[in-house]
């Protein structure tokens, strides 16, 4: 009988093919889990978001004796989102009746420390604060309101958010969010089978989708890490990552991140993320100040920010909000009385578009230009820097209004095509050189070409004060009473052509006093004087006054044949307005980190480049220009007792209309013209001066100081002879002189009966 073959021994368990496959798949799954875990931790532990830089206007500072118009105070409080109520109840409330105001300020973390929230009372009478005290009657030296956020510098993906700590989240918001979106949040481990079943049942009963099956953790994973692809593979990945997230982090960390991450709307290209920013976007108020019904609306919008948008779908949003209120009532988060009141209330949202992401694009462009000296673009878009600027919302509003109102009037008056006239306005504070308003065009809310910063146009007569300042610096040779010739001028140029400037009235005026040549802007006299003192000397004065641009070495520059921007002109005139002290024009005060840590200050820089004496004499000539010269029409709108100084500028074929003028506290430069460089019917006085006058008649400003520097004395001068005279003598005018430089000869006259007249009346020769 044949021998039976032995059966081969069975292979060990671990050598079976299916076990190898199982082991290999388990290894891959383990590696995949490690990858997912690393993905979760790398973003959650690091910097979760690229935070945009926030740009703030200057804070409104209220103090006793301050000049402040009621309309400006009301405007600034409205911009800050203060609510008009009958009785102060919470921060952000205000009460106003008659001249009395009560304000419950919000407080703010400034560069130099925290400003606490406080209740104050002030009285505003005749455009001035006459009382300022806390509500308990204790006098206050100063109240500094929180600054208005005017812009953001956003990441490339255009997400915006305002971070909240969980401790700062209103308790009703957190509880309502959990009730509506994930009732089992405190107990599940990232996914909830019970929650999915409960949501399915609720949706079946309601006949529509009223609850979702995803947990808050799953929603966070989907928004934070994944795309919105709908597939089983992505849902499985979402579930795994949710479990890993729960294993790694606490419930409070997950909830806080969710509250700051959730998408709640769109503002142009900017995505609104998180409840804090959504509160300001829809209601114009901080989250902690919202009423019950407003909180419920935000919670309801989590389900679909676009679908429940209260501006586009108000009925749908109202129904969703009331459903949230119903769920809150069922879970005993609110009382019957609270439910009835809230469910009957309106949506309470502000007007759509009333809180744009960038209120002042021209000013923001200036801020960015100045920030580039110290910060990389990426830092501005991701580090959450807080940038505090000098912009005054009330002055900015008035500058925009004056430019638009007067430009439209001029188009109608001269029969110009509508919207053919463009313009720019730059307003700075005299002394600090801070930009208070920056208008880059008539459509100030739009971006595009920034004329205040980038429009370089011929400036006409605006540079003439440099000629007279150069001469007056030579005090032994020139004074305001010096005689200069206004005869015809002819100069041969290097190109063998003849440069022959003419006066605007096409007349020559013979020998005139220096102050009169400046006040009446005689071209021939200015050209002669400029060549007498030397082109190089005048150009040096122009540079020292603040113009950094290279100037062509030709005499036509004396009469403004050089292209400058309104910002350039502001630097030039600020040195004249500030007694010869040069300070770079600045728009930024301080920069702090997102947590309020000081990073950089932009302090005032000063350099005395000219003597206060010679600048005072130049100012006198510019004041005379406002009384007897091309600026005199300004007093149709300005108070007669407001002393200002200024200069018009008109270029060839009246293509550009300029005016630069200043009071004791404000300097403004205005340009009007056409973007295509076409001709206009406007001179400096008939165009830009009208905008300037309207602006200065509306903002609280101070007269130029009448007290001369110590080295300046006033003397009476006989107009005809130029000799010393007396107040009672006919033809006598009173002029300032650097001490010791007044005429030596005395003219004696038969005194007339003295009359009390203003200096400009005496200067103008009125009896």
């Amino acid at each position: 009988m044949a021998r039976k073959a032995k059966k081969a021994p069975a292979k060990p368990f671990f050598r079976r093919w299916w076990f190898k496959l199982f082991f290999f798949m388990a290894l891959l799954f383990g590696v995949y889990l490690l990858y997912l875990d690393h993905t979760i931790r790398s973003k959650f532990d690091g910097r979760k978001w690229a935070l945009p830089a926030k740009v703030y206007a200057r804070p409104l500072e209220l103090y006793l004796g301050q000049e402040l118009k009621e309309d400006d105070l009301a405007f600034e409080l409205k911009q800050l989102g203060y609510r008009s109520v009958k009785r102060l109840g919470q921060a952000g409330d205000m009460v106003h009746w008659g001249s009395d105001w009560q304000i419950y300020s919000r407080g703010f973390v400034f560069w130099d420390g925290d400003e606490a929230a406080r209740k104050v009372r002030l009285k505003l009478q005749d455009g001035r604060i006459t009382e300022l005290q806390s509500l308990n009657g204790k006098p206050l030296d100063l109240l500094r309101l929180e600054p208005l956020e005017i812009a953001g510098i956003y990441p490339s993906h255009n997400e915006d958010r305002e971070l909240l700590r969980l401790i700062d989240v209103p308790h009703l918001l957190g509880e309502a969010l959990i009730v509506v979106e994930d009732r089992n949040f405190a107990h599940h481990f990232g996914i909830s089978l019970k929650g999915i079943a409960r949501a399915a049942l609720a949706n079946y009963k309601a006949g529509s989708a009223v609850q979702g099956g995803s947990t808050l953790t799953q929603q966070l994973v989907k928004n934070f890490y994944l795309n919105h692809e709908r597939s089983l593979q992505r849902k499985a990945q979402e579930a795994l990552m949710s479990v890993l997230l729960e294993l790694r982090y606490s419930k409070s960390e997950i909830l806080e991140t969710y509250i700051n991450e959730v998408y709640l709307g769109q503002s142009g290209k900017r995505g609104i993320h998180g409840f804090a920013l959504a509160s300001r976007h829809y209601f114009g108020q901080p989250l902690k100040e919202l009423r019950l019904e407003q909180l419920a609306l935000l919670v309801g919008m989590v389900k679909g920010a676009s679908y429940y948008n209260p501006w586009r779908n108000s009925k749908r949003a109202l129904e969703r909000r009331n459903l949230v209120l119903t769920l809150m009532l069922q879970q005993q988060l609110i009382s019957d009385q609270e439910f009835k009141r809230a469910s009957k209330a309106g949506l309470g949202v502000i007007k759509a578009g009333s809180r744009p992401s960038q209120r002042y694009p021209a000013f923001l462009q200036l801020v960015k230009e100045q920030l580039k000296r110290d910060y990389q673009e990426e830092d501005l878009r991701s580090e959450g820097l807080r940038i505090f600027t000098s912009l005054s919302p009330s002055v900015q509003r008035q500058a925009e209004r004056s430019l638009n109102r007067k430009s439209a009037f001029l188009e109608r008056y001269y029969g110009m095509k509508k919207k053919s006239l463009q313009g720019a306005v730059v307003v700075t504070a005299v002394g600090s050189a801070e930009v208070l308003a920056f208008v880059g065009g008539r459509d100030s809310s739009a971006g595009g070409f920034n004329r205040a910063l980038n429009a370089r146009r011929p400036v006409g007569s605006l540079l003439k004060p440099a000629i007279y300042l150069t001469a007056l610096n030579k005090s032994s040779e020139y004074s305001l009473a010096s005689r200069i010739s206004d005869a015809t001028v002819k100069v041969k140029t290097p190109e063998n052509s003849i440069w022959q400037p003419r006066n605007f009235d096409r007349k020559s005026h013979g020998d005139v006093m220096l102050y009169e040549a400046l006040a009446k802007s005689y071209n021939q006299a200015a050209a002669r004087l400029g060549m007498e003192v030397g082109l190089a000397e005048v150009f040096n004065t122009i540079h020292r006054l603040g113009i950094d641009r290279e100037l062509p070495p030709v005499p036509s520059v004396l009469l403004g044949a050089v292209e400058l921007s309104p910002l350039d002109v502001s630097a030039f005139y600020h040195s004249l307005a500030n007694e010869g002290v040069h300070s770079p024009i600045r728009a930024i005060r301080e920069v702090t980190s997102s947590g309020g840590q000081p990073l950089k200050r932009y302090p005032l820089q000063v350099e005395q480049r000219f003597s206060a004496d010679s600048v005072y004499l130049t100012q006198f000539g510019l004041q005379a220009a406002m009384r007897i010269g091309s600026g005199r029409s300004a007093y149709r709108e300005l108070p007669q007792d407001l002393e200002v100084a200024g200069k018009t500028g008109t270029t060839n074929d009246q293509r550009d209309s300029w005016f630069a003028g200043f009071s004791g506290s404000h300097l403004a430069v205005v340009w009007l013209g056409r973007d295509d460089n076409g001709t206009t019917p406007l001179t400096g006085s008939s165009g830009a001066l009208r905008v300037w006058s309207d602006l200065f008649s509306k903002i609280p400003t101070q007269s130029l100081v009448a007290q001369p520097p110590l080295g300046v004395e006033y003397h009476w001068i006989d107009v005809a002879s130029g000799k010393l005279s007396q107040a009672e003598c006919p033809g006598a005018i009173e002029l300032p002189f650097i001490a010791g430089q007044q005429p030596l000869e005395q003219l004696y006259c038969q005194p007339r009966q003295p009359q009390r007249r203003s200096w400009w009346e005496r200067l103008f020769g009125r009896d």
Side-chain angles (χ1 to χ4, degrees):
M1 186 173 175
R3 213 169 155 187
K4 210 170 188 180
K6 283 186 179 181
K7 190 174 181 182
K11 291 184 178 181
F13 180 79
F14 63 87
R15 294 180 62 188
R16 296 176 185 173
W17 70 268
W18 53 267
F19 177 76
K20 289 182 179 180
L21 179 61
F22 173 81
F23 182 79
F24 181 70
M25 294 298 292
L27 182 63
L28 283 180
F29 184 69
V31 171
Y32 181 60
L33 287 179
L34 288 174
Y35 164 74
L36 292 181
D37 185 61
H38 173 74
T39 300
I40 289 170
R41 287 187 295 110
S42 61
K43 187 168 184 178
F44 212 91
D45 291 340
R47 193 180 64 192
K48 294 183 179 69
W49 298 284
L51 297 177
K54 300 293 187 182
V55 184
Y56 296 91
R58 64 93 182 95
L60 179 60
E61 296 181 339
L62 304 174
Y63 53 88
L64 198 62
Q66 178 188 6
E67 289 187 70
L68 181 65
K69 294 186 176 182
E70 180 180 301
D71 182 56
D72 288 339
L73 177 58
F75 168 75
E76 297 230 19
L77 290 173
K78 182 179 180 181
Q79 291 293 295
L80 290 168
Y82 278 74
R83 302 169 297 275
S84 182
V85 297
K86 294 182 179 180
R87 183 184 180 88
L88 296 184
Q90 62 175 340
D93 285 349
M94 56 162 281
V95 179
H96 174 217
W97 64 88
S99 60
D100 292 319
W101 295 73
Q102 291 183 14
I103 302 171
Y104 196 155
S105 69
R106 294 190 174 104
F108 193 80
V109 180
F110 286 98
W111 165 280
D112 53 357
D114 293 3
E115 185 81 19
R118 60 176 73 181
K119 298 177 183 179
V120 300
R121 175 186 289 116
L122 65 88
K123 186 178 288 289
L124 197 57
Q125 291 181 314
D126 299 323
R128 191 179 297 273
I129 296 178
T130 58
E131 292 181 24
L132 182 63
Q133 58 189 22
S134 62
L135 216 56
N136 61 15
K138 183 179 179 181
L140 292 176
D141 295 326
L142 175 72
L143 171 66
R144 183 166 51 170
L145 297 179
E146 71 274 19
L148 175 69
E149 184 184 323
I150 58 174
I153 303 175
Y154 304 109
S156 57
H157 48 70
N158 283 310
E159 287 187 6
D160 192 10
R161 56 178 48 79
E162 182 179 318
L163 295 185
L164 275 175
R165 298 175 304 168
L166 196 60
I167 194 174
D168 296 323
V169 176
H171 73 277
L172 270 181
L173 174 68
E175 291 176 334
L177 182 63
I178 290 173
V179 162
V180 174
E181 294 295 325
D182 188 359
R183 293 186 194 176
N184 201 35
F185 175 73
H187 307 292
H188 63 62
F189 51 89
I191 57 175
S192 174
L193 298 177
K194 185 185 294 185
I196 295 172
R198 183 178 61 248
L201 180 61
N203 294 340
Y204 174 77
K205 289 181 178 179
S208 62
V210 296
Q211 289 187 29
S214 296
T215 65
L216 285 179
T217 311
Q218 286 176 278
Q219 293 180 42
L220 177 60
V221 166
K222 180 173 62 178
N223 293 330
F224 210 45
Y225 297 102
L226 305 175
N227 56 37
H228 292 276
E229 176 190 351
R230 293 178 177 273
S231 67
L232 289 175
Q233 180 182 350
R234 198 203 62 79
K235 289 296 290 183
Q237 184 181 13
E238 176 190 298
L240 286 173
M241 292 181 76
S242 298
V243 173
L244 290 171
L245 192 66
E246 292 268 357
L247 291 173
R248 283 285 184 187
Y249 302 99
S250 68
K251 292 289 186 178
S252 60
E253 289 175 299
I254 293 171
L255 183 60
E256 182 178 272
T257 304
Y258 181 91
I259 286 172
N260 286 306
E261 167 63 21
V262 62
Y263 174 75
L264 287 168
Q266 198 74 23
S267 176
K269 295 181 179 180
R270 180 181 63 139
I272 306 297
H273 289 260
F275 285 96
L277 185 62
S279 175
R280 297 189 184 275
H281 179 62
Y282 292 109
F283 306 110
Q285 295 173 357
L287 185 65
K288 62 183 178 182
E289 296 177 12
L290 295 191
R291 300 185 299 274
L292 166 61
E293 61 270 19
Q294 294 171 318
L295 291 172
L297 176 60
L298 292 183
V299 171
M301 291 179 67
V302 169
K303 187 173 181 61
S306 178
Y307 189 76
Y308 295 110
N309 185 306
W311 290 314
R312 293 200 304 265
N313 306 304
S314 58
K315 183 178 178 181
R316 191 183 294 160
L318 188 65
E319 291 174 351
R320 176 65 181 171
R321 183 206 69 182
N322 288 346
L323 174 60
V324 172
L325 290 171
T326 300
L327 294 174
M328 293 174 72
L329 177 64
Q330 291 173 355
Q331 296 300 311
Q332 299 181 348
L333 298 180
I334 58 176
S335 66
D336 286 337
Q337 185 178 358
E338 288 175 316
F339 171 78
K340 290 176 181 177
R341 184 202 62 78
S343 59
K344 291 179 181 178
L347 291 173
V349 293
I350 58 178
K351 184 180 178 182
S354 60
R355 196 177 184 274
S357 58
Q358 294 184 3
R359 299 170 189 253
Y360 310 112
F363 180 76
L364 181 61
Q365 190 176 351
L366 173 64
V367 169
K368 286 181 177 179
E369 287 292 320
Q370 296 189 358
L371 284 171
K372 283 180 182 177
R373 305 166 192 168
D374 302 299
Y375 294 94
Q376 298 293 324
E377 181 76 13
E378 180 59 28
D379 294 336
L380 298 176
R381 295 182 180 274
S382 63
E383 296 296 331
L385 301 179
R386 301 197 309 161
I387 300 159
F388 297 93
T389 74
S390 57
L391 183 112
S392 166
S394 56
V395 176
Q396 175 76 22
R397 175 182 68 150
Q398 190 53 58
E400 293 173 0
R401 285 181 170 182
S402 294
L403 177 61
N404 278 294
R405 181 165 52 235
K406 290 301 180 180
S407 295
F409 165 78
L410 291 169
E411 287 172 340
R412 293 192 303 270
Y413 186 82
Y414 288 102
M416 301 174 66
K417 184 180 178 181
K418 190 175 181 181
K419 294 292 185 181
S420 62
L421 191 61
Q422 265 297 348
V425 182
V426 179
V427 184
T428 52
V430 173
S432 68
E434 291 183 327
V435 178
L436 303 179
F438 203 73
V439 187
R442 290 176 65 180
D443 187 1
S444 55
S445 62
F449 186 53
N450 188 343
R451 297 163 188 84
L453 184 64
N454 298 320
R456 296 186 177 91
R457 307 288 290 244
V459 295
S461 297
L462 288 186
L463 294 185
K464 283 181 183 175
I467 301 172
Y468 294 92
L469 178 58
T470 304
L472 292 169
N473 263 332
K474 303 174 183 288
S475 58
S476 61
E477 301 176 39
Y478 295 96
S479 72
L480 290 177
S482 297
R483 294 279 178 177
I484 58 176
S485 173
D486 186 50
T488 300
V489 177
K490 292 184 179 181
V491 179
K492 190 174 182 179
T493 68
E495 294 79 21
N496 290 321
S497 60
I498 300 297
W499 179 62
Q500 185 176 353
R502 297 184 183 277
N503 290 328
F504 186 77
D505 61 5
R506 302 298 181 184
K507 298 177 183 179
S508 297
H509 302 93
D511 289 345
V512 295
M513 283 189 175
L514 186 144
Y515 86 86
E516 185 181 1
L518 174 56
K520 297 186 177 179
S521 198
Y522 292 151
N523 289 334
Q524 295 173 170
R528 281 183 172 276
L529 181 61
M531 288 185 288
E532 280 182 18
V533 299
L535 288 182
E537 291 287 333
V538 175
F539 286 9
N540 182 48
T541 298
I542 293 172
H543 289 308
R544 289 169 66 199
L545 282 170
I547 302 300
D548 295 329
R549 302 187 186 282
E550 185 177 349
L551 303 174
V554 293
S556 58
V557 171
L558 296 171
L559 302 184
V562 60
E563 296 182 347
L564 300 173
S565 71
L567 184 62
D568 294 330
V569 176
S570 295
F572 177 92
Y573 272 86
H574 184 265
S575 298
L576 291 173
N578 198 32
E579 302 178 353
V581 177
H582 173 72
S583 297
I585 300 296
R586 59 197 180 112
I588 307 169
R589 291 180 172 179
E590 303 98 11
V591 177
T592 74
S593 68
S594 58
Q597 179 183 0
L599 297 178
K600 185 172 180 60
R601 293 205 70 181
Y602 292 78
L604 174 65
Q605 302 175 37
V606 297
E607 180 185 354
Q608 186 79 49
R609 293 188 175 179
F610 298 92
S611 72
D613 299 348
S614 57
V615 172
Y616 181 84
L617 302 185
T618 307
Q619 279 189 7
F620 183 91
L622 294 174
Q623 283 181 270
M626 300 301 293
R627 295 293 185 174
I628 65 171
S630 57
R632 61 187 181 275
S633 63
Y635 282 96
R636 295 172 186 167
E637 297 191 59
L638 299 181
Q640 290 296 316
D641 61 351
L642 178 65
E643 292 301 336
V644 294
K647 187 73 190 71
T648 56
T650 309
T651 60
N652 292 341
D653 300 320
Q654 300 178 195
R655 298 177 189 274
D656 302 277
S657 170
W658 288 92
F659 188 80
F662 53 90
S663 65
S665 53
H666 295 93
L667 160 69
V669 174
V670 179
W671 169 81
L672 292 180
R674 289 171 51 175
D675 284 341
D676 63 2
N677 200 32
T679 60
T680 76
L682 304 176
T683 63
S685 58
S686 66
L689 177 60
R690 288 177 177 261
V691 177
W692 186 94
S693 303
D694 185 70
L695 171 61
F696 271 64
S697 69
K698 301 295 193 305
I699 61 174
T701 195
Q702 299 172 356
S703 284
L704 283 166
V705 178
Q707 186 67 30
L710 290 176
V712 173
E713 301 171 347
Y714 274 83
H715 295 276
W716 288 92
I717 303 297
D718 178 64
V719 173
S721 65
K723 298 178 181 180
L724 287 176
S725 185
Q726 300 174 27
E728 297 80 11
C729 295
I733 60 170
E734 191 177 29
L735 296 176
F737 292 86
I738 295 175
Q741 302 304 319
Q742 69 272 17
L744 299 178
E745 292 186 76
Q746 178 77 46
L747 175 70
Y748 296 96
C749 68
Q750 182 66 38
R752 62 185 176 185
Q753 186 67 29
Q755 297 178 358
R756 186 173 182 81
R757 297 179 297 162
S758 60
W759 71 269
W760 63 86
E761 289 176 320
R762 296 193 297 269
L763 194 62
F764 195 44
R766 293 176 181 169
D767 293 325

